[in-house]
Amino acid sequence: MTLKHWITKTGRKEVAQMLNIQQSTITTWLQKKQAPKDKVKIKINRMSHGRVSYAEMIEPFHGDMN
């Protein structure tokens, strides 16, 4: 499952509340301007019961590292 799909399925407001972050932070992830911080990736992976993998959360940013 993609991060975007999980956020859409769960609800942006609910995800922000569960992670104790601003909805604008979620927007930056969805616009691929920034990846979730490592500690947040761990929470997302756990909260999604492993359906959103670490690799999926960083994959969109691999090409931008050059």
Side-chain angles (χ1 to χ4, degrees):
M1 172 181 292
T2 66
L3 178 60
K4 181 178 181 177
H5 183 254
W6 179 73
I7 290 169
T8 302
K9 182 178 175 183
T10 306
R12 193 179 294 215
K13 182 178 179 180
E14 291 76 8
V15 170
Q17 289 175 340
M18 291 187 298
L19 295 173
N20 195 31
I21 60 171
Q22 298 292 318
Q23 289 187 50
S24 59
T25 301
I26 295 171
T27 300
T28 64
W29 302 342
L30 297 176
Q31 293 175 347
K32 299 180 182 175
K33 291 182 178 178
Q34 113 185 21
K37 293 182 180 182
D38 289 342
K39 66 181 181 178
V40 177
K41 288 177 194 160
I42 292 167
K43 289 180 182 180
I44 291 169
N45 181 262
R46 288 181 183 159
M47 293 166 62
S48 70
H49 305 285
R51 290 177 290 195
V52 181
S53 70
Y54 302 112
E56 198 290 320
M57 286 184 263
I58 63 168
E59 187 276 327
F61 301 94
H62 268 314
D64 297 339
M65 299 180 106
N66 293 330

